Amino acid sequence: MAVLLLADVVGGALATDQVAKTLTAVKSLGPVTVLVAGPDAAAAAAEAATLAGVAKVLLAEGAEYAHGMSEPTAALIQSLAGDYEHIVAPSGALSKSVLPRLAAMLDVMVISEVLAVHDAATFDRPIYAGNAIQTVKSSDAKKVMTVRTATFEAAGKGGSAAVEKVSASVDGSMSAWVEDKVASSDRPELTSAGIVVSGGRGVGSQADFALIEKLADKLNAAVGASRAAVDSGYAPNDWQVGQTGKVVAPQLYVAVGISGAIQHLAGMKDSKVIVAINKDEEAPIFQVADYGLVADLFAAVPEMIEKL
């Protein structure tokens, strides 16, 4: 049995944390080959080769793979699929675009958001907004899977895998990338941050959300938001944590003015330590919090910022 791991490459750089956590999830299934595709991806391939547990790195350089375009990327993987029983990728924009297309081409099912690997055919995945864990067993000859990386530790460095160049005859004309609109930030990336400070509807306004940002900056943390806060226009969409947003599992999660709707809990309940600040002592967030403070956030958060 062998595993092909599709690496996420952003701006020519390897998304090392996501790839390393996926490697941890699947390395028990057999030798892991990492596929790095994109223009000027040689440095990313060299980085992947240093991860402990990587048997080999395949490098596909070509402009058609830029931005993870799903048609050529899926066709590339299909051309390589014959040698692999498992084809996996970290759960994210790339895998959600490419792997369903690949699965259709291979006539197999997609197993999404894998949380645990029992054996070569049996996996755990969340259902019902994360309130139940489903154990699935696949009889497909090839297993195509996305991995929820928040539940795994990152593999370490120290590997020295060989890098092999590959190519395929793929058609990249079906779609075209129009433009990037990227919000730059000095803060840690939300899904890989060790500390996350999130604000909810209780923050009250976009202007008052600056309190959440100030607290996050004091803690060198990423900023998150509940769907209610995002829908109300207090915070941008890419800060949303929850079932329809991003799934995080930091060492510390601070929930400010968040009631704790089931959809939000699905995105953060695997955090190691959860701190909740809410003036409603009956708020559901306190049921999952390790530390709870029943207080007005507009009094408590400025005091925390001052003491920090």
Side-chain angles (χ1 to χ4, degrees):
M1 294 181 291
V3 180
L4 182 65
L5 194 168
L6 174 63
D8 208 339
V9 179
V10 181
L14 185 76
T16 307
D17 185 68
Q18 302 300 307
V19 174
K21 289 179 177 179
T22 306
L23 178 61
T24 297
V26 301
K27 63 185 180 182
S28 64
L29 298 174
V32 179
T33 297
V34 176
L35 172 61
V36 178
D40 304 317
E47 174 76 10
T50 66
L51 294 174
V54 174
K56 182 169 63 174
V57 176
L58 300 180
L59 170 61
E61 287 192 290
E64 62 270 30
Y65 307 121
H67 309 290
M69 298 299 287
S70 57
E71 294 88 353
T73 306
L76 170 66
I77 301 173
Q78 184 187 30
S79 72
L80 301 169
D83 297 330
Y84 303 97
E85 182 177 341
H86 298 85
I87 300 171
V88 305
S91 182
L94 177 68
S95 63
K96 290 175 182 178
S97 173
V98 173
L99 293 195
R101 178 178 293 273
L102 172 68
M105 295 160 72
L106 297 175
D107 195 24
V108 299
M109 291 291 291
V110 177
I111 304 171
S112 61
E113 303 285 332
V114 168
L115 297 170
V117 176
H118 294 285
D119 57 41
T122 313
F123 314 95
D124 285 350
R125 59 180 301 274
I127 56 174
Y128 301 129
N131 284 281
I133 304 300
Q134 180 184 49
T135 300
V136 298
K137 186 165 187 175
S138 172
S139 59
D140 286 332
K142 294 188 184 298
K143 283 74 174 175
V144 176
M145 310 186 303
T146 68
V147 175
R148 181 175 287 190
T149 57
T151 58
F152 298 97
E153 296 293 327
K157 295 290 187 73
S160 56
V163 178
E164 176 185 326
K165 288 191 174 183
V166 294
S167 61
S169 178
V170 300
D171 181 7
S173 65
M174 291 180 67
S175 57
W177 189 262
V178 177
E179 64 177 324
D180 276 327
K181 290 188 177 180
V182 180
S184 60
S185 174
D186 293 331
R187 298 190 183 100
E189 204 280 321
L190 183 56
T191 55
S192 59
I195 304 174
V196 174
V197 179
S198 284
R201 194 200 306 271
V203 176
S205 70
Q206 183 177 7
D208 287 329
F209 216 86
L211 267 180
I212 305 300
E213 297 181 61
K214 286 180 183 177
L215 179 58
D217 290 341
K218 286 288 186 181
L219 294 168
N220 191 28
V223 178
S226 68
R227 179 169 181 173
V230 171
D231 287 350
S232 299
Y234 304 167
N237 184 265
D238 59 344
W239 288 2
Q240 184 176 322
V241 173
Q243 182 184 7
T244 54
K246 295 178 179 177
V247 176
V248 300
Q251 294 295 318
L252 172 63
Y253 188 88
V254 183
V256 181
I258 294 176
S259 63
I262 187 173
Q263 292 86 353
H264 185 77
L265 299 183
M268 46 66 72
K269 66 181 182 179
D270 290 327
S271 304
K272 307 302 184 291
V273 176
I274 299 172
V275 174
I277 302 172
N278 199 299
K279 65 181 180 182
D280 178 10
E281 64 183 27
E282 301 297 326
I285 191 71
F286 289 123
Q287 296 176 16
V288 298
D290 298 285
Y291 299 93
L293 176 61
V294 179
D296 184 342
L297 70 90
F298 295 105
V301 174
E303 185 176 351
M304 290 176 67
I305 292 170
E306 181 184 348
K307 291 186 182 300
L308 286 168

